[in-house]
Amino acid sequence: MSIADKIKSGDILTMSRLIRDIDDGMPEAEITLQKLFKHSGDSKILGITGLPGAGKSTLTSLLISYYRKQNKRVGVVAVDPTSPFSGGAILGDRIRMQEHNADSDVFIKSVATRGSFGGLSKSVVDIVRIMEAAGKDIIIIETVGVGQDEIDVVRLAGQVLVVTAPGLGDDIQAIKAGILEIADIFVVNKCDLVGAEKAASELKDAAEDNITGDLKPIVMTDSIHIKGIDELTESIDIGFDKFNNDNIKNEYLDRRYRYEIEYKVRDKLTETIRESFENDPVFKDILKAVRDKKMDPYTAVTKIMKNVKLT
Amino acid sequence: MKRKKRILVGKVGLDGHDRGAKILARAFRDAGFEVVYSGLHQTPEMIANMAIQEAVDGVGLSLLSGAHNHLFPEVARLIKEKGADNIVIFGGGTIPDKDVAFLKESGISEIFLPGTSLDIIINWADNNL
């Protein structure tokens, strides 16, 4: 059986090894991904983002339980930050999802950002594809704890939950211009704590859709005492039902594939340019000319754009 | 292309002492490893599933309850049974000298006894994973 066929049959060992190869940038993994492409695009992809400590992982665990009760197969990609100093990482999200460790229909993958800035790792888009091809009905992407600008998840997920918690005070202000805009549903978690109502009311401005004026759902949850989860899952289900409309589905797929292609092109270009500076005499001459003040960096950029060898 | 090393630090069985496991996890992080920490009270089955899903190079088991002769070999057996015999398993905790030989025969590559310094463990993992 080929690797692609094994993945389509849901073979866990093959899936996890291929994901490892992708994370490690092994070029041969791409051949399998090409074969898997036509078996992807139909799963529900739910993004969960928000500040560190807001309760994203615990909430994810409750959502896994919800989908497992419906006998849905679940994939989770949980992203945690890579240390800029050692290159190491502690991947601690799945500690909150322990109860699913013995369930063979729940596949949880922890990944580190490895230098990516958008709140995801470079590999997430391909990991999602593998999970889709392996027949996961729902795939939950949990981003790193984010602040303002880490919004890549909105380009990949069909729906995004932005999770916050009371007591974060000014942080809500701080994120107003950034991730609040990408939410489909707002979650005020830890709603048993003082200030939950205030946190929810402060979100009302951001919850008004810029275009339609509709109010996006603001759901209060308490993951420890399991409150508000039914309301949350209902909002998520309503959100995914919209994808039964072909126009909405196509709009989403266009966004997703455009992001993926743009990201990959940019990645390859960055690598090509980096290599050219090391190996190509034309690039070296340009750099020397700038250093000697015979050329300005703006002209250098134009020249490099003309000389970059696209393969 | 150089692979990043990945490791699962696992707490198995009824043992609530995870200070050591957390210190170890952090030391591995500082040595450049990607570390998945299992959390407390995992069954051997759960540890094996995690190790496979996360495609780690090694599993480091920490146990202070005295049940290592039962639980460590079971983790090794399950990981092998699930086809991931490339994963190196090692362990440590309050383990007496006299149990080391048995554990090594049961699929555990190395046992670190009380008092072992972090450097020794990290170096071993660096060379053997």
Side-chain angles (χ1 to χ4, degrees), chain A residues 275-285 307-309:
Chain A
E275 275 174 13
S276 300
F277 270 116
E278 276 167 27
N279 306 320
D280 187 334
V282 177
F283 278 61
K284 287 186 174 173
D285 288 346
N307 279 289
V308 69
K309 288 185 186 71

Side-chain angles (χ1 to χ4, degrees), chain A residues 51 133 136 153 197 220 222 305:
Chain A
L51 296 163
K136 298 298 175 197
V153 68
E197 293 287 348
M220 311 226 330
D222 171 357
M305 295 298 282

Side-chain angles (χ1 to χ4, degrees), chain A residues 81-209:
Chain A
T82 293
S83 160
F85 301 108
S86 72
I90 300 275
L91 308 174
D93 290 325
R94 68 179 302 151
I95 295 175
R96 323 287 173 195
M97 308 171 198
Q98 293 186 355
E99 63 178 297
H100 306 291
N101 279 339
D103 184 343
S104 58
D105 279 319
V106 179
F107 185 101
I108 302 171
K109 186 73 195 182
S110 314
V111 292
T113 51
R114 299 199 185 181
S116 293
F117 294 115
L120 304 177
S121 73
K122 200 166 114 179
S123 54
V124 170
V125 65
D126 293 327
I127 295 174
V128 166
R129 171 148 306 130
I130 291 167
M131 289 181 170
E132 287 191 288
K136 298 298 175 197
D137 302 299
I138 172 111
I139 297 160
I140 302 175
I141 304 170
E142 184 190 332
T143 73
V144 292
V146 300
Q148 291 182 311
D149 219 10
E150 300 93 334
I151 58 161
D152 278 358
V153 68
V154 73
R155 304 188 171 114
L156 186 52
Q159 279 198 90
V160 176
L161 311 186
V162 171
V163 185
T164 184
L168 299 171
D170 281 351
D171 288 342
I172 288 177
Q173 296 292 350
I175 59 177
K176 242 174 199 170
I179 59 165
L180 290 195
E181 289 167 287
I182 68 167
D184 296 293
I185 299 168
F186 292 94
V187 182
V188 179
N189 195 29
K190 309 187 188 183
C191 73
D192 53 323
L193 299 183
V194 175
E197 293 287 348
K198 184 168 171 278
S201 74
E202 279 173 351
L203 286 168
K204 275 190 185 134
D205 267 349
E208 199 173 312
D209 191 296

Side-chain angles (χ1 to χ4, degrees), chain A residues 29-96:
Chain A
E30 198 166 299
I31 298 161
T32 306
L33 286 168
Q34 284 173 350
K35 288 185 192 148
L36 294 178
F37 173 67
K38 59 177 183 291
H39 304 281
S40 69
D42 287 325
S43 304
K44 290 171 180 166
I45 302 178
L46 181 67
I48 302 191
T49 191
L51 296 163
K56 297 183 291 298
S57 305
T58 312
L59 212 52
T60 299
S61 188
L62 291 170
L63 292 174
I64 297 172
S65 302
Y66 170 73
Y67 289 113
R68 288 301 295 137
K69 270 184 210 137
Q70 300 174 21
N71 228 2
K72 298 254 169 43
R73 284 163 297 183
V74 183
V76 177
V77 195
V79 192
D80 265 327
T82 293
S83 160
F85 301 108
S86 72
I90 300 275
L91 308 174
D93 290 325
R94 68 179 302 151
I95 295 175
R96 323 287 173 195

Side-chain angles (χ1 to χ4, degrees), chain A residues 21 86 91 94 110 114, chain B residues 3 29 34-35 52 54:
Chain A
D21 285 348
S86 72
L91 308 174
R94 68 179 302 151
S110 314
R114 299 199 185 181
Chain B
R3 282 184 183 272
R29 181 202 76 180
E34 286 182 357
V35 189
I52 285 165
E54 298 291 357

